[in-house]
Amino acid sequence: MSQPKNSIAKKQAELADILQWFESENFVIDQAADQLAKARKLAAEIDSDLSQLENEITVLAERFDGNDA
């Protein structure tokens, strides 16, 4: 299994920072579209990473149970 560029935890932290920015005094309407695009991209990457991890866990569980899939 190859190591991802950013771990899921790092992506979640970056997404949390963006969401916090929307609620902060630093919010600038002109930057909102860019920040929203970044947030959507990170959310999609996190979803994909979690799906891949779930698949890997399923394969390992099947092997552990003696079922080769």
Side-chain angles (χ1 to χ4, degrees), residues 37-57:
K38 287 179 190 176
R40 285 182 174 157
K41 182 179 181 230
L42 280 168
E45 288 176 8
I46 291 167
D47 186 52
S48 176
D49 291 348
L50 289 173
S51 291
Q52 181 180 354
L53 185 59
E54 180 181 26
N55 289 337
E56 291 173 10
I57 290 170

Side-chain angles (χ1 to χ4, degrees), residues 14-52:
E14 190 175 346
L15 181 58
D17 288 344
I18 292 170
L19 296 175
Q20 188 175 28
W21 175 85
F22 276 99
E23 298 175 350
S24 75
E25 293 178 8
N26 297 327
F27 176 85
V28 178
I29 194 72
D30 294 338
Q31 297 172 357
D34 289 338
Q35 292 287 56
L36 182 59
K38 287 179 190 176
R40 285 182 174 157
K41 182 179 181 230
L42 280 168
E45 288 176 8
I46 291 167
D47 186 52
S48 176
D49 291 348
L50 289 173
S51 291
Q52 181 180 354

